Amino acid sequence: MEGFLRVDHNAGTSSPSSSFNPDNADSTSICPLITPSPPTNALVDPIPEPIEPNYQIGAQLAEKLQMVHGKCDGDSISSASSEQPVTSQLLDGTNFLSLPLDEEAGVEGGKAASLELTFRNPTEDYFFMSWNWPFIRKVSLYLYLSGLIGMVALVIGLIATLPKTCNPETQWYQGKVFYEIFPASFYSSSQEMEGNLKGISMKADYIMQLNVRAVRLNSIFRSSHYPKDFENTINAMEIDSTLGNLEDFKSLVLHLNSRNISLMLDLPVASIIQNSSAKKFIIAPRNETEEPSDFFNVSYDFDPVEDAIQFWLLHGVEGFYLKGLEKFADQHDTARLVRKWKKLLGPHRILIVSEETLNRTPKKNLNIVLNNIDLVDVKLDIEKGVSEIIKQIDAVQNGSLFTKPGMPWVHWSIGNVNSNRLANILPFGNGTLGAALLQLMLPGTPSIFYGDEIGLSQIADPEEERKDIKHLHQLTMMPWKGEQPKVLPWIYGGSKSPPHFDQVNAIVRMTELRMQSPSIYMNAVYKEGVNKANAEVKYWQENFLVVQRWYPRRKSYVVASNLGSNHISTDLSMLLYTGQVIVGPKVDSILESISFKEVSLWPGESVVIVLD
């Protein structure tokens, strides 16, 4: 292209200071590559004289420069009187290419003046030039640093608040440990009389130590001769004066709730119905031929059970055990009433019924009952031996409670207000501890009856002097370490064996393990449309039982129990490998590795092992 700067190597025909000549521009080659080079004289003259190239500007570029200069001066560049062409000035190292801003600066001394590149308007005319830029820079820096510090603090806060474990969550009553108390036999605030509500409040720290999530009180309602006839309730909205008053009850709720413990009540449904006047709440029979004598087969405008539930909900109760409901389970309207009572409670407060209630409920009403209860109480028949326990576990896990997620959980109990003391059923040194460890390893919600954690036995009555209250012999006064044992005025008689206070530490370790391990507190695993209990009877023979608990991506645990009266030693190496002893078999047992080549347990002992 003719407009480019080219180099002329013909040093002999033009001097280095030659200026641009438009007349001979066409006669010169525009491409340096096709311009013939002079012959080499290296052999004749090895050190040739330096040849200075001649820089020339193409005609096209010169023409454009002339046009630009003409516009700036208002005249043609050819009319300007100049000693040196503009193109020569461009190549002159002492001058700069510039355009004059006005006519006075256009030509000075016959030469083009330097062109100064300036803004069209003065700098002060731009609004941002008046800003306080030092202040703006400081503010920007502070904002940047503040934002950076804020983001770092946010990240640290998120990391600090992350849960230490990613265990699956359950409802407050699912998989937790409950504690059942007969109030008149637990603790007396006056140190002289029967137990009362104030006494339970005073022992709230002890209950919390057991890692209990809920306390369930047996009947506290007014009866004619409480506590001997505690089941014969006269008024389900009035506390018997032996235990205290409503203010004492409110105080108990506050003491427990402050320790994250919920309060539940046994509600004697059968007693409430039998002692209520039918004429008071019956409107009319459903048909003319029906007798208005059956509470569950009539229409009524007043429901004493509903009124009792509403009353105690207002005072902080978070659940009810519907005691005696099994007596009316086969009635037509029982399921409808259960649904109405559950609606009063809402989704976060619970209803408990016995296993017998489900067994007696007609199939057409079973789903209604299952959808409106939260826990099903199953009493583990320890006294009947290992074979019966296996049948119970198998029946529960293959029954309606494990057919799909969302079904009621199992409420496991060994001792209760109506059964013999565990220490009397298993009269061995560590019998109550072994049974408690087995109970706490089952899938569901275990419930400890007060005193079983220390091996409390029922009163001794060898002469049968208190045969009239034989059904109450298990309601022994709770002994306390460091305090003088008390004898209840209504159920005197000493215990058959002393309590084992040191067992509490083992129970606490087990409840802590249960809270932290999904393999233990979860009751099932739902996978590929199948809901399966995460408990398996791994081995059993005579009075020896091994149950394994597991959960996906978690450690597995086993509990081995000897529920017989003889020492048992067996080889489990074909089923299990090695593990670490966590709790048991004795109170003072240390944590150690164990090989399943030989598992040896004395009568009543249980051991909990985490598998390697």
Side-chain angles (χ1 to χ4, degrees), residues 201-217:
S201 298
M202 296 172 64
K203 292 298 181 179
D205 288 334
Y206 170 81
I207 299 172
M208 183 180 67
Q209 177 190 356
L210 299 175
N211 299 304
V212 169
R213 183 59 182 84
V215 167
R216 197 182 103 228
L217 300 182

Side-chain angles (χ1 to χ4, degrees), residues 225-295:
H225 297 90
Y226 191 91
K228 292 183 180 180
D229 61 345
F230 68 92
E231 292 181 319
N232 187 22
T233 299
I234 296 176
N235 188 346
M237 292 183 287
E238 182 180 351
I239 299 174
D240 194 272
S241 58
T242 305
L243 301 177
N245 52 40
L246 189 58
E247 292 302 320
D248 297 333
F249 183 86
K250 293 179 181 179
S251 177
L252 174 59
V253 171
L254 292 176
H255 276 81
L256 295 178
N257 289 350
S258 65
R259 293 162 174 80
N260 194 32
I261 301 175
S262 301
L263 182 63
M264 303 172 58
L265 293 179
D266 281 0
L267 194 63
V269 175
S271 179
I272 293 173
I273 294 171
Q274 292 170 357
N275 292 331
S276 297
S277 175
K279 296 180 180 179
K280 183 177 181 180
F281 53 83
I282 293 177
I283 292 179
R286 289 180 301 173
N287 54 64
E288 295 180 357
T289 60
E290 187 174 18
E291 294 293 333
S293 58
D294 192 343
F295 175 84

Side-chain angles (χ1 to χ4, degrees), residues 49-80:
E49 296 180 0
I51 301 175
E52 297 180 4
N54 182 24
Y55 294 91
Q56 297 182 358
I57 299 177
Q60 185 178 358
L61 179 58
E63 183 179 356
K64 291 182 178 180
L65 291 173
Q66 291 175 359
M67 293 174 62
V68 171
H69 193 275
K71 291 180 180 179
C72 294
D73 292 343
D75 297 323
S76 174
I77 194 170
S78 60
S79 63

Side-chain angles (χ1 to χ4, degrees), residues 332-369:
H332 176 77
D333 286 341
T334 301
R336 180 180 60 82
L337 289 170
V338 171
R339 179 168 56 192
K340 184 177 69 170
W341 298 335
K342 176 59 180 176
K343 188 176 180 180
L344 291 175
L345 271 69
H348 302 299
R349 289 173 289 196
I350 66 173
L351 287 179
I352 307 175
V353 300
S354 65
E355 183 183 21
E356 188 178 359
T357 300
L358 297 185
N359 295 336
R360 293 187 178 187
T361 300
K363 291 184 178 180
K364 62 180 180 179
N365 293 334
L366 184 59
N367 286 334
I368 298 177
V369 175

Side-chain angles (χ1 to χ4, degrees), residues 174 370-371 373-374 400-409 523:
Q174 295 176 336
L370 290 174
N371 291 333
I373 59 175
D374 304 284
S400 56
L401 299 181
F402 286 86
T403 55
K404 60 182 179 180
M407 300 299 284
W409 282 41
N523 74 329

